Amino acid sequence: MSNYEIGLTMFGGVLAMLILRVPVAVSMLVAGGLGYAAILGWAPLLANLKTLMFSRFSSYTLSIIPLFLLMGEFATKSGMSTGLFRCARAYLGHRPGGLALATIGGCAAFGALCGSSIATAATMTHVAGPEMRRHGYSGALTTGTLAGGGTLGILIPPSVILVIYALYTEQSIGALFVAAMIPGLLAVLGYMAVIWVYVKISPQSAPTAERHGWAIRLRETRAVWSAGLVFFVVVGGIYNGWFSPTEAAAIGAVAVGLLGVVNGTIRWRQFQEAVQSTAINTAFIFLILLGAELFSSALALTRMPAELSAQIVALELPPYAIISIILLVYLVLGCVLESLAMVLLTLPVFVPVVLGLDLGMSPAQTLIWFGILVLIAVEVGMISPPFGLNLFVINSMTKDVPMSATYLGVAGFCIVDILRLALLMLVPGLTLWLTGVS
């Protein structure tokens, strides 16, 4: 078997193990280890493993992951999601589809503190789902809105997926966060447009809620202004160079935690739960990173990514046609794989291919632009019927809504997502404009 065939076998082996429900970290460790040993032997593999873990995890930059996870846990435990939804409802609830619009606004605001799609979807389903159903919203609009809004958790910075992508491709975390700002705003506006059209077509699906006066609006705004301040300090601080992304994550985690303590929503038990959950999720992510590192090392030895890149370039397809095929692969994989696993599994193969294309951009611009496209493709895959993971999370929490209704409700959001993905692919300036990367 040639090295190239070993590389293809490794990739296929990982996919086969994932289908058999083997944990993604174990799948990549097994495939990477066997591939490495097949090329260099068992002794070099053991020698590599001896130093691999320290060389990977001794990086100071990696501390940003548990810090952002802790910030998200504090935001969840302190009930900020409820306050953000109530604030958005005070301003938008009286409009047609107002509670759905408020849910999108709440998801965007909570996503700015959480950084996880599934966590945002689950939290906002618990907060906004019963409220929409109580006011007579249809099951399709309710679950479709929650599924679409949940994806804002990984798009609105800070995003754990973007941090992982930045570390893998050796790009600026701050630049990727800034690059996600305009796509994130387009997502919010697009989702609100879907709700507006939905309500125009089916007015009975979203009865109008009560109108709140300015006294209530100002009260709800005062209750959540601190959360907005944390977001602007964290992202604005990174953008303006006041502190590094890691320092920003630490400041954000401490600030959100202190806000919860001051408001009385985080006590010793909630603090313990947040720290424990952060430790578990960090260990899970780091184990996946270790498996991805070994898998990438073995793939590099096979030279399969480089040869595959050369073969694709030799096809002389238009560069954007190749990018479209790659994004289509992400849309399909997003239906069956968790977002982090999907990104780490495919980057060793796709990054060399993308860098080999003549896109008229510098390598740094190409990687930042491609990273945002990957992020959006991943989020679309997570809400695409029939197997989008977010759909199952939401449907399990709204047992009175059949899955068929959820599929119907999320269709419009998927269409808008694909249109947004196409727009950002064809107009890279929308992604790169604020970054200043040349």
Side-chain angles (χ1 to χ4, degrees), residues 375-427:
L375 191 70
I376 295 172
V378 165
E379 82 179 39
V380 178
M382 294 185 71
I383 63 170
S384 296
F387 302 118
L389 295 181
N390 275 18
L391 301 182
F392 290 98
V393 171
I394 292 167
N395 200 256
S396 68
M397 299 177 67
T398 53
K399 299 185 183 299
D400 62 321
V401 181
M403 183 61 83
S404 58
T406 300
Y407 290 160
L408 177 64
V410 82
F413 296 93
C414 290
I415 292 172
V416 166
D417 274 337
I418 293 173
L419 293 175
R420 175 165 50 97
L421 186 62
L423 176 65
L424 294 172
M425 182 180 70
L426 296 174
V427 189

Side-chain angles (χ1 to χ4, degrees), residues 174-369:
L176 279 161
F177 282 179
V178 172
M181 297 293 286
I182 292 179
L185 177 61
L186 290 175
V188 173
L189 295 176
Y191 290 166
M192 288 185 171
V194 170
I195 293 168
W196 182 82
V197 172
Y198 195 107
V199 174
K200 284 290 184 182
I201 295 174
S202 178
Q204 69 277 10
S205 298
T208 303
E210 68 276 11
R211 183 187 185 97
H212 293 286
W214 279 102
I216 294 178
R217 293 177 181 179
L218 293 175
R219 185 189 68 196
E220 299 295 350
T221 301
R222 285 195 298 270
V224 300
W225 70 268
S226 52
L229 180 62
V230 170
F231 170 75
F232 285 112
V233 167
V234 170
V235 178
I238 295 173
Y239 182 72
N240 291 296
W242 298 338
F243 29 73
S244 69
T246 304
E247 293 167 343
I251 292 170
V254 171
V256 174
L258 286 177
L259 287 173
V261 172
V262 170
N263 294 332
T265 52
I266 292 183
R267 302 184 183 278
W268 179 242
R269 182 173 64 83
Q270 287 82 7
F271 177 81
Q272 286 181 305
E273 290 174 351
V275 172
Q276 184 179 28
S277 180
T278 298
I280 292 172
N281 288 326
T282 299
F284 174 73
I285 291 174
F286 277 26
L287 186 59
I288 293 178
L289 285 174
L290 180 63
E293 186 75 9
L294 182 59
F295 184 76
S296 299
S297 299
L299 274 184
L301 289 175
T302 67
R303 292 193 54 79
M304 188 271 279
E307 291 186 29
L308 181 62
S309 175
Q311 291 174 4
I312 292 175
V313 171
L315 294 176
E316 298 184 353
L317 292 174
Y320 284 95
I322 295 174
I323 295 293
S324 300
I325 293 172
I326 291 174
L327 295 178
L328 181 61
V329 171
Y330 276 113
L331 293 178
V332 174
L333 289 178
C335 295
V336 294
L337 290 181
E338 194 272 331
S339 56
L340 179 59
M342 188 191 335
V343 169
L344 288 175
L345 177 64
T346 55
L347 286 183
V349 177
F350 289 153
V351 166
V353 173
V354 172
L355 288 176
L357 301 175
D358 182 12
L359 296 165
M361 294 180 281
S362 69
Q365 290 176 325
T366 298
L367 288 175
I368 289 175
W369 168 74

